[in-house]
Amino acid sequence: METSEKRMVKILNFGSLNLDYTYDVPHFVTAGETLSSVQMRASAGGKGLNQSIAASRSGAEIYHAGAVGQTDGGMLLEVLRGAGVDTRWIARVPEATGHAIIQRDPAGQNCILLFSGANQTITPEQARGVLGQFAPGDWLMLQNEISAVEQLMELAHSMGIRIAFNPSPMTEAVRTYPLHLADLLIFNEIEAAGICGVEACAGEQLLSLLGQRFPQSQVVLTLGGAGAWYHCGETTVFQPAFSVPVTDTTGAGDTFTGYLLGGLIQKLSPAEAMRQAAAAAALAVTRRGAAGSIPEREEVQRFLQQHS
């Protein structure tokens, strides 16, 4: 097998695959309320799928593993392949494909209800078989929308495969995962506060707490419209958010994550990778949808040139 120095580093995203049903509403529905939506759209989504597309569009070589239903997952495979993602390790299972119910308000904010479906059928055996196709120095990208996350982290680490983990959605189970094995951890404010066991604090304070807790990892803290922080060892980078009109925030964080890891494995500096990721996320929020809002690399480069 070729050494990692003689071959392009690969990303294996063992991640979720969802059908997204997005409803435009005047406001988020409240308890006991029946609310009519203005419009409904069905599209490809899931944090895993979104991050794979973003990483692929950044220029990275990416493979997606996971599971979809035998009868209702074909569209998701087509979307991934169309974005240049290798789908050979996505299983077709009897369970229904995962899906999400997304409410989007006039300000572009969203709230999401998830049904995991096939995403929760991932087994340690499947994980071991797929990881065996990759080499030390490759990357495993993970989110918290599939089963066997803990086993995937342990297996990848034992094989010398680097780990990028985005603990979203944040659950109690995340606290039991071997997060110290991750080479790159990407948190938003809510996730970071949950991991650090604090109610609320400023972004810089949260970043400091994360750095103390994970001294061997690259740590990224995203703050939405307030920007994002990167910290590793003696290197700390703050990337302001670009000011753009917001249409829909769905998938913006996934766009940031995919472009960030894609940039890092393509030898961009942390500052360059953070700036590229912020630009991609800025373009994403100007558009509707999740996967469909993720920009191409050329669009990101033009945007950066315009904002240099």
Side-chain angles (χ1 to χ4, degrees), residues 174-255:
V174 172
R175 302 177 194 275
T176 69
Y177 295 163
L179 301 183
H180 63 283
L181 300 181
D183 299 86
L184 173 64
L185 289 162
I186 303 169
F187 303 93
N188 64 24
E189 289 176 281
I190 295 173
E191 294 152 4
I195 287 293
C196 294
V198 297
E199 289 296 324
C201 56
E204 288 183 76
Q205 185 180 354
L206 267 180
L207 186 72
S208 176
L209 292 172
L210 290 169
Q212 295 169 29
R213 189 176 179 103
F214 306 108
Q216 305 304 315
S217 304
Q218 301 174 78
V219 175
V220 173
L221 176 63
T222 62
L223 306 171
W229 288 94
Y230 170 97
H231 175 76
C232 183
E234 300 300 315
T235 301
T236 300
V237 174
F238 176 69
Q239 173 60 51
F242 291 97
S243 180
V244 295
V246 176
T247 299
D248 187 352
T249 60
T250 308
D254 298 330
T255 300

Side-chain angles (χ1 to χ4, degrees), residues 218 230 232 235 237 260 264 268-275:
Q218 301 174 78
Y230 170 97
C232 183
T235 301
V237 174
L260 175 65
L264 290 173
L268 295 185
S269 69
E272 292 169 331
M274 289 283 285
R275 182 170 169 79

